[in-house]
Amino acid sequence: WGAVPAPTVLRIARAVNAGRLAAQRGRFDEAIAELRRGVTLQDDLPYNEPPTWHQPLRHILGAILLEADRAAEAETVYRKDLEDHRENGWALFGLLQSLRAQAKEGEAEDAETRFRKAWYRADITLTASQF
């Protein structure tokens, strides 16, 4: 797959699919473990433009952590994603959701301001940090 061996990319795809399927079945611990494995694989990819795996897996992991009522862990995941993808609207939306779930109102207001600035030209309304 370009500069990355296809089996590496397929391991990421497997982690995403296994994680999403486990979450749909309510097996959140399994889903989170699979997606964390995928995040590690994605982090280990060499820099490439465009990225070898376009969708930041932390967006999916964070959404599933929120679904599993693990908002503090989701906050950590979104903050890490924002270190790598500054002011990314998807990550800011997830951060906002995680802060609200923890009743961190002051921080949530800041995240909402940042999200609105990043998302003001978007033509879709988000309901989660994953599409």
Side-chain angles (χ1 to χ4, degrees):
W1 196 287
V4 178
T8 300
V9 177
L10 293 174
R11 281 193 293 275
I12 294 171
R14 186 210 167 281
V16 171
N17 290 333
R20 285 187 167 175
L21 285 171
Q24 286 179 346
R25 294 176 178 144
R27 298 190 322 239
F28 290 110
D29 289 340
E30 179 184 335
I32 291 163
E34 287 289 349
L35 289 165
R36 286 190 193 283
R37 192 172 1 269
V39 165
T40 299
L41 290 166
Q42 187 176 36
D43 285 350
D44 289 343
L45 291 173
Y47 177 81
N48 198 12
E49 200 58 50
T52 302
W53 190 271
H54 179 70
Q55 170 68 43
L57 296 188
R58 284 185 177 87
H59 298 177
I60 301 167
L61 173 59
I64 289 174
L65 284 164
L66 284 170
E67 191 177 344
D69 293 322
R70 294 164 68 168
E73 290 175 69
E75 177 187 354
T76 301
V77 166
Y78 291 121
R79 288 192 187 280
K80 172 59 178 150
D81 190 75
L82 287 163
E83 289 175 16
D84 298 336
H85 306 98
R86 291 183 36 184
E87 299 307 289
N88 178 282
W90 294 91
L92 286 168
F93 186 80
L95 177 62
L96 171 60
Q97 288 182 305
S98 68
L99 293 169
R100 283 186 176 156
Q102 296 173 81
K104 294 182 175 181
E105 297 307 322
E107 291 178 70
E109 286 179 26
D110 177 60
E112 184 170 13
T113 299
R114 291 168 60 199
F115 167 72
R116 289 190 187 285
K117 184 177 178 184
W119 208 252
Y120 81 99
R121 290 186 186 209
D123 60 355
I124 64 168
T125 301
L126 296 184
T127 58
S129 65
Q130 64 174 332
F131 195 66

PDB file of all heavy atoms in Angstrom, residues 56-83:
ATOM      1  N   PRO A  56      -8.712   9.217  11.363  1.00  0.00           N
ATOM      2  CA  PRO A  56      -8.053   9.042  12.657  1.00  0.00           C
ATOM      3  C   PRO A  56      -8.866   8.077  13.545  1.00  0.00           C
ATOM      4  O   PRO A  56     -10.029   8.330  13.859  1.00  0.00           O
ATOM      5  CB  PRO A  56      -8.022  10.449  13.254  1.00  0.00           C
ATOM      6  CG  PRO A  56      -8.156  11.361  12.072  1.00  0.00           C
ATOM      7  CD  PRO A  56      -9.037  10.623  11.105  1.00  0.00           C
ATOM      8  N   LEU A  57      -8.264   6.977  13.920  1.00  0.00           N
ATOM      9  CA  LEU A  57      -8.983   5.967  14.691  1.00  0.00           C
ATOM     10  C   LEU A  57      -9.363   6.463  16.081  1.00  0.00           C
ATOM     11  O   LEU A  57     -10.280   5.922  16.696  1.00  0.00           O
ATOM     12  CB  LEU A  57      -8.165   4.686  14.794  1.00  0.00           C
ATOM     13  CG  LEU A  57      -7.888   3.969  13.476  1.00  0.00           C
ATOM     14  CD1 LEU A  57      -7.243   2.619  13.737  1.00  0.00           C
ATOM     15  CD2 LEU A  57      -9.139   3.800  12.667  1.00  0.00           C
ATOM     16  N   ARG A  58      -8.680   7.478  16.572  1.00  0.00           N
ATOM     17  CA  ARG A  58      -9.052   8.012  17.886  1.00  0.00           C
ATOM     18  C   ARG A  58     -10.475   8.569  17.882  1.00  0.00           C
ATOM     19  O   ARG A  58     -11.142   8.562  18.898  1.00  0.00           O
ATOM     20  CB  ARG A  58      -8.045   9.066  18.332  1.00  0.00           C
ATOM     21  CG  ARG A  58      -6.755   8.470  18.818  1.00  0.00           C
ATOM     22  CD  ARG A  58      -5.802   9.535  19.384  1.00  0.00           C
ATOM     23  NE  ARG A  58      -4.611   8.905  19.902  1.00  0.00           N
ATOM     24  CZ  ARG A  58      -3.536   8.621  19.170  1.00  0.00           C
ATOM     25  NH1 ARG A  58      -3.506   8.942  17.884  1.00  0.00           N
ATOM     26  NH2 ARG A  58      -2.493   8.033  19.715  1.00  0.00           N
ATOM     27  N   HIS A  59     -10.955   9.040  16.729  1.00  0.00           N
ATOM     28  CA  HIS A  59     -12.331   9.541  16.653  1.00  0.00           C
ATOM     29  C   HIS A  59     -13.321   8.399  16.904  1.00  0.00           C
ATOM     30  O   HIS A  59     -14.322   8.576  17.602  1.00  0.00           O
ATOM     31  CB  HIS A  59     -12.609  10.167  15.293  1.00  0.00           C
ATOM     32  CG  HIS A  59     -11.751  11.349  14.989  1.00  0.00           C
ATOM     33  ND1 HIS A  59     -11.816  12.004  13.785  1.00  0.00           N
ATOM     34  CD2 HIS A  59     -10.804  12.002  15.722  1.00  0.00           C
ATOM     35  CE1 HIS A  59     -10.945  13.008  13.777  1.00  0.00           C
ATOM     36  NE2 HIS A  59     -10.318  13.013  14.947  1.00  0.00           N
ATOM     37  N   ILE A  60     -13.041   7.256  16.335  1.00  0.00           N
ATOM     38  CA  ILE A  60     -13.907   6.092  16.524  1.00  0.00           C
ATOM     39  C   ILE A  60     -13.785   5.597  17.966  1.00  0.00           C
ATOM     40  O   ILE A  60     -14.796   5.338  18.629  1.00  0.00           O
ATOM     41  CB  ILE A  60     -13.546   4.969  15.528  1.00  0.00           C
ATOM     42  CG1 ILE A  60     -13.680   5.469  14.094  1.00  0.00           C
ATOM     43  CG2 ILE A  60     -14.408   3.726  15.769  1.00  0.00           C
ATOM     44  CD1 ILE A  60     -13.058   4.551  13.051  1.00  0.00           C
ATOM     45  N   LEU A  61     -12.553   5.464  18.453  1.00  0.00           N
ATOM     46  CA  LEU A  61     -12.326   5.005  19.822  1.00  0.00           C
ATOM     47  C   LEU A  61     -13.012   5.930  20.821  1.00  0.00           C
ATOM     48  O   LEU A  61     -13.695   5.460  21.742  1.00  0.00           O
ATOM     49  CB  LEU A  61     -10.818   4.932  20.102  1.00  0.00           C
ATOM     50  CG  LEU A  61     -10.403   4.621  21.541  1.00  0.00           C
ATOM     51  CD1 LEU A  61     -10.964   3.287  22.011  1.00  0.00           C
ATOM     52  CD2 LEU A  61      -8.887   4.659  21.660  1.00  0.00           C
ATOM     53  N   GLY A  62     -12.865   7.228  20.638  1.00  0.00           N
ATOM     54  CA  GLY A  62     -13.492   8.173  21.562  1.00  0.00           C
ATOM     55  C   GLY A  62     -15.004   8.048  21.569  1.00  0.00           C
ATOM     56  O   GLY A  62     -15.639   8.074  22.627  1.00  0.00           O
ATOM     57  N   ALA A  63     -15.606   7.907  20.382  1.00  0.00           N
ATOM     58  CA  ALA A  63     -17.067   7.768  20.301  1.00  0.00           C
ATOM     59  C   ALA A  63     -17.540   6.511  21.025  1.00  0.00           C
ATOM     60  O   ALA A  63     -18.563   6.527  21.721  1.00  0.00           O
ATOM     61  CB  ALA A  63     -17.508   7.751  18.842  1.00  0.00           C
ATOM     62  N   ILE A  64     -16.801   5.434  20.895  1.00  0.00           N
ATOM     63  CA  ILE A  64     -17.197   4.187  21.556  1.00  0.00           C
ATOM     64  C   ILE A  64     -16.952   4.279  23.060  1.00  0.00           C
ATOM     65  O   ILE A  64     -17.759   3.777  23.849  1.00  0.00           O
ATOM     66  CB  ILE A  64     -16.506   2.988  20.894  1.00  0.00           C
ATOM     67  CG1 ILE A  64     -17.152   2.793  19.507  1.00  0.00           C
ATOM     68  CG2 ILE A  64     -16.624   1.728  21.741  1.00  0.00           C
ATOM     69  CD1 ILE A  64     -16.534   1.756  18.641  1.00  0.00           C
ATOM     70  N   LEU A  65     -15.901   4.962  23.468  1.00  0.00           N
ATOM     71  CA  LEU A  65     -15.697   5.186  24.904  1.00  0.00           C
ATOM     72  C   LEU A  65     -16.858   5.990  25.485  1.00  0.00           C
ATOM     73  O   LEU A  65     -17.341   5.689  26.587  1.00  0.00           O
ATOM     74  CB  LEU A  65     -14.372   5.913  25.152  1.00  0.00           C
ATOM     75  CG  LEU A  65     -13.114   5.054  25.024  1.00  0.00           C
ATOM     76  CD1 LEU A  65     -11.871   5.934  24.901  1.00  0.00           C
ATOM     77  CD2 LEU A  65     -12.987   4.103  26.201  1.00  0.00           C
ATOM     78  N   LEU A  66     -17.332   6.987  24.765  1.00  0.00           N
ATOM     79  CA  LEU A  66     -18.488   7.758  25.240  1.00  0.00           C
ATOM     80  C   LEU A  66     -19.728   6.878  25.322  1.00  0.00           C
ATOM     81  O   LEU A  66     -20.482   6.952  26.292  1.00  0.00           O
ATOM     82  CB  LEU A  66     -18.743   8.952  24.323  1.00  0.00           C
ATOM     83  CG  LEU A  66     -17.796  10.121  24.500  1.00  0.00           C
ATOM     84  CD1 LEU A  66     -17.991  11.142  23.382  1.00  0.00           C
ATOM     85  CD2 LEU A  66     -17.994  10.771  25.864  1.00  0.00           C
ATOM     86  N   GLU A  67     -19.928   6.047  24.316  1.00  0.00           N
ATOM     87  CA  GLU A  67     -21.072   5.137  24.317  1.00  0.00           C
ATOM     88  C   GLU A  67     -21.009   4.177  25.499  1.00  0.00           C
ATOM     89  O   GLU A  67     -22.028   3.770  26.040  1.00  0.00           O
ATOM     90  CB  GLU A  67     -21.094   4.360  22.994  1.00  0.00           C
ATOM     91  CG  GLU A  67     -22.359   3.582  22.756  1.00  0.00           C
ATOM     92  CD  GLU A  67     -22.359   2.888  21.411  1.00  0.00           C
ATOM     93  OE1 GLU A  67     -21.545   3.227  20.528  1.00  0.00           O
ATOM     94  OE2 GLU A  67     -23.189   1.965  21.247  1.00  0.00           O
ATOM     95  N   ALA A  68     -19.793   3.831  25.921  1.00  0.00           N
ATOM     96  CA  ALA A  68     -19.584   2.905  27.044  1.00  0.00           C
ATOM     97  C   ALA A  68     -19.546   3.641  28.395  1.00  0.00           C
ATOM     98  O   ALA A  68     -19.188   3.040  29.405  1.00  0.00           O
ATOM     99  CB  ALA A  68     -18.281   2.142  26.840  1.00  0.00           C
ATOM    100  N   ASP A  69     -19.918   4.926  28.398  1.00  0.00           N
ATOM    101  CA  ASP A  69     -19.923   5.742  29.629  1.00  0.00           C
ATOM    102  C   ASP A  69     -18.529   5.855  30.247  1.00  0.00           C
ATOM    103  O   ASP A  69     -18.379   5.808  31.468  1.00  0.00           O
ATOM    104  CB  ASP A  69     -20.931   5.211  30.651  1.00  0.00           C
ATOM    105  CG  ASP A  69     -22.358   5.369  30.165  1.00  0.00           C
ATOM    106  OD1 ASP A  69     -22.666   6.400  29.531  1.00  0.00           O
ATOM    107  OD2 ASP A  69     -23.170   4.454  30.411  1.00  0.00           O
ATOM    108  N   ARG A  70     -17.525   6.025  29.409  1.00  0.00           N
ATOM    109  CA  ARG A  70     -16.137   6.186  29.864  1.00  0.00           C
ATOM    110  C   ARG A  70     -15.611   7.527  29.369  1.00  0.00           C
ATOM    111  O   ARG A  70     -14.656   7.622  28.626  1.00  0.00           O
ATOM    112  CB  ARG A  70     -15.306   5.000  29.383  1.00  0.00           C
ATOM    113  CG  ARG A  70     -15.770   3.697  30.072  1.00  0.00           C
ATOM    114  CD  ARG A  70     -15.293   2.427  29.425  1.00  0.00           C
ATOM    115  NE  ARG A  70     -13.865   2.211  29.541  1.00  0.00           N
ATOM    116  CZ  ARG A  70     -13.269   1.064  29.242  1.00  0.00           C
ATOM    117  NH1 ARG A  70     -13.990   0.014  28.845  1.00  0.00           N
ATOM    118  NH2 ARG A  70     -11.958   0.940  29.336  1.00  0.00           N
ATOM    119  N   ALA A  71     -16.300   8.587  29.800  1.00  0.00           N
ATOM    120  CA  ALA A  71     -16.051   9.938  29.291  1.00  0.00           C
ATOM    121  C   ALA A  71     -14.648  10.442  29.614  1.00  0.00           C
ATOM    122  O   ALA A  71     -14.040  11.141  28.794  1.00  0.00           O
ATOM    123  CB  ALA A  71     -17.096  10.907  29.828  1.00  0.00           C
ATOM    124  N   ALA A  72     -14.115  10.133  30.781  1.00  0.00           N
ATOM    125  CA  ALA A  72     -12.767  10.608  31.126  1.00  0.00           C
ATOM    126  C   ALA A  72     -11.725  10.006  30.182  1.00  0.00           C
ATOM    127  O   ALA A  72     -10.799  10.704  29.746  1.00  0.00           O
ATOM    128  CB  ALA A  72     -12.443  10.276  32.577  1.00  0.00           C
ATOM    129  N   GLU A  73     -11.879   8.727  29.855  1.00  0.00           N
ATOM    130  CA  GLU A  73     -10.965   8.094  28.903  1.00  0.00           C
ATOM    131  C   GLU A  73     -11.135   8.706  27.513  1.00  0.00           C
ATOM    132  O   GLU A  73     -10.146   8.914  26.800  1.00  0.00           O
ATOM    133  CB  GLU A  73     -11.206   6.593  28.837  1.00  0.00           C
ATOM    134  CG  GLU A  73     -10.789   5.843  30.082  1.00  0.00           C
ATOM    135  CD  GLU A  73     -11.165   4.375  29.988  1.00  0.00           C
ATOM    136  OE1 GLU A  73     -10.554   3.668  29.153  1.00  0.00           O
ATOM    137  OE2 GLU A  73     -12.062   3.945  30.725  1.00  0.00           O
ATOM    138  N   ALA A  74     -12.370   8.989  27.149  1.00  0.00           N
ATOM    139  CA  ALA A  74     -12.627   9.613  25.847  1.00  0.00           C
ATOM    140  C   ALA A  74     -11.967  10.990  25.785  1.00  0.00           C
ATOM    141  O   ALA A  74     -11.359  11.343  24.760  1.00  0.00           O
ATOM    142  CB  ALA A  74     -14.124   9.728  25.596  1.00  0.00           C
ATOM    143  N   GLU A  75     -12.059  11.751  26.852  1.00  0.00           N
ATOM    144  CA  GLU A  75     -11.415  13.064  26.889  1.00  0.00           C
ATOM    145  C   GLU A  75      -9.924  12.940  26.594  1.00  0.00           C
ATOM    146  O   GLU A  75      -9.366  13.693  25.780  1.00  0.00           O
ATOM    147  CB  GLU A  75     -11.624  13.727  28.248  1.00  0.00           C
ATOM    148  CG  GLU A  75     -10.914  15.061  28.364  1.00  0.00           C
ATOM    149  CD  GLU A  75     -10.963  15.658  29.751  1.00  0.00           C
ATOM    150  OE1 GLU A  75     -11.649  15.122  30.647  1.00  0.00           O
ATOM    151  OE2 GLU A  75     -10.286  16.696  29.945  1.00  0.00           O
ATOM    152  N   THR A  76      -9.272  11.985  27.231  1.00  0.00           N
ATOM    153  CA  THR A  76      -7.837  11.768  27.009  1.00  0.00           C
ATOM    154  C   THR A  76      -7.548  11.432  25.544  1.00  0.00           C
ATOM    155  O   THR A  76      -6.593  11.943  24.952  1.00  0.00           O
ATOM    156  CB  THR A  76      -7.319  10.651  27.932  1.00  0.00           C
ATOM    157  OG1 THR A  76      -7.557  11.036  29.288  1.00  0.00           O
ATOM    158  CG2 THR A  76      -5.842  10.382  27.722  1.00  0.00           C
ATOM    159  N   VAL A  77      -8.377  10.595  24.952  1.00  0.00           N
ATOM    160  CA  VAL A  77      -8.205  10.185  23.557  1.00  0.00           C
ATOM    161  C   VAL A  77      -8.342  11.391  22.623  1.00  0.00           C
ATOM    162  O   VAL A  77      -7.530  11.595  21.714  1.00  0.00           O
ATOM    163  CB  VAL A  77      -9.220   9.078  23.195  1.00  0.00           C
ATOM    164  CG1 VAL A  77      -9.313   8.863  21.693  1.00  0.00           C
ATOM    165  CG2 VAL A  77      -8.854   7.778  23.897  1.00  0.00           C
ATOM    166  N   TYR A  78      -9.366  12.219  22.852  1.00  0.00           N
ATOM    167  CA  TYR A  78      -9.568  13.381  21.993  1.00  0.00           C
ATOM    168  C   TYR A  78      -8.453  14.413  22.167  1.00  0.00           C
ATOM    169  O   TYR A  78      -8.007  15.021  21.193  1.00  0.00           O
ATOM    170  CB  TYR A  78     -10.929  14.025  22.255  1.00  0.00           C
ATOM    171  CG  TYR A  78     -12.076  13.166  21.800  1.00  0.00           C
ATOM    172  CD1 TYR A  78     -13.047  12.749  22.695  1.00  0.00           C
ATOM    173  CD2 TYR A  78     -12.202  12.775  20.465  1.00  0.00           C
ATOM    174  CE1 TYR A  78     -14.116  11.966  22.279  1.00  0.00           C
ATOM    175  CE2 TYR A  78     -13.257  11.987  20.039  1.00  0.00           C
ATOM    176  CZ  TYR A  78     -14.214  11.589  20.959  1.00  0.00           C
ATOM    177  OH  TYR A  78     -15.254  10.816  20.532  1.00  0.00           O
ATOM    178  N   ARG A  79      -7.997  14.602  23.386  1.00  0.00           N
ATOM    179  CA  ARG A  79      -6.902  15.559  23.603  1.00  0.00           C
ATOM    180  C   ARG A  79      -5.633  15.101  22.877  1.00  0.00           C
ATOM    181  O   ARG A  79      -4.925  15.918  22.293  1.00  0.00           O
ATOM    182  CB  ARG A  79      -6.656  15.765  25.087  1.00  0.00           C
ATOM    183  CG  ARG A  79      -7.764  16.573  25.764  1.00  0.00           C
ATOM    184  CD  ARG A  79      -7.379  17.020  27.163  1.00  0.00           C
ATOM    185  NE  ARG A  79      -8.472  17.647  27.858  1.00  0.00           N
ATOM    186  CZ  ARG A  79      -8.865  18.913  27.678  1.00  0.00           C
ATOM    187  NH1 ARG A  79      -8.248  19.687  26.801  1.00  0.00           N
ATOM    188  NH2 ARG A  79      -9.879  19.412  28.374  1.00  0.00           N
ATOM    189  N   LYS A  80      -5.363  13.808  22.897  1.00  0.00           N
ATOM    190  CA  LYS A  80      -4.206  13.277  22.181  1.00  0.00           C
ATOM    191  C   LYS A  80      -4.380  13.498  20.679  1.00  0.00           C
ATOM    192  O   LYS A  80      -3.444  13.891  19.977  1.00  0.00           O
ATOM    193  CB  LYS A  80      -3.993  11.791  22.509  1.00  0.00           C
ATOM    194  CG  LYS A  80      -2.932  11.112  21.679  1.00  0.00           C
ATOM    195  CD  LYS A  80      -1.558  11.753  21.806  1.00  0.00           C
ATOM    196  CE  LYS A  80      -0.533  10.996  20.974  1.00  0.00           C
ATOM    197  NZ  LYS A  80       0.535  11.844  20.479  1.00  0.00           N
ATOM    198  N   ASP A  81      -5.580  13.262  20.170  1.00  0.00           N
ATOM    199  CA  ASP A  81      -5.814  13.460  18.748  1.00  0.00           C
ATOM    200  C   ASP A  81      -5.593  14.923  18.364  1.00  0.00           C
ATOM    201  O   ASP A  81      -5.027  15.215  17.310  1.00  0.00           O
ATOM    202  CB  ASP A  81      -7.228  13.028  18.353  1.00  0.00           C
ATOM    203  CG  ASP A  81      -7.388  13.012  16.847  1.00  0.00           C
ATOM    204  OD1 ASP A  81      -6.865  12.069  16.212  1.00  0.00           O
ATOM    205  OD2 ASP A  81      -7.994  13.953  16.299  1.00  0.00           O
ATOM    206  N   LEU A  82      -5.997  15.835  19.229  1.00  0.00           N
ATOM    207  CA  LEU A  82      -5.822  17.258  18.937  1.00  0.00           C
ATOM    208  C   LEU A  82      -4.356  17.681  18.973  1.00  0.00           C
ATOM    209  O   LEU A  82      -3.992  18.678  18.353  1.00  0.00           O
ATOM    210  CB  LEU A  82      -6.668  18.102  19.902  1.00  0.00           C
ATOM    211  CG  LEU A  82      -8.169  18.041  19.599  1.00  0.00           C
ATOM    212  CD1 LEU A  82      -8.976  18.536  20.794  1.00  0.00           C
ATOM    213  CD2 LEU A  82      -8.491  18.829  18.342  1.00  0.00           C
ATOM    214  N   GLU A  83      -3.521  16.929  19.657  1.00  0.00           N
ATOM    215  CA  GLU A  83      -2.075  17.196  19.595  1.00  0.00           C
ATOM    216  C   GLU A  83      -1.549  16.898  18.190  1.00  0.00           C
ATOM    217  O   GLU A  83      -0.667  17.601  17.700  1.00  0.00           O
ATOM    218  CB  GLU A  83      -1.317  16.325  20.599  1.00  0.00           C
ATOM    219  CG  GLU A  83      -1.510  16.701  22.042  1.00  0.00           C
ATOM    220  CD  GLU A  83      -0.830  15.730  22.992  1.00  0.00           C
ATOM    221  OE1 GLU A  83       0.046  14.936  22.542  1.00  0.00           O
ATOM    222  OE2 GLU A  83      -1.172  15.746  24.182  1.00  0.00           O
TER     223      GLU A  83
END
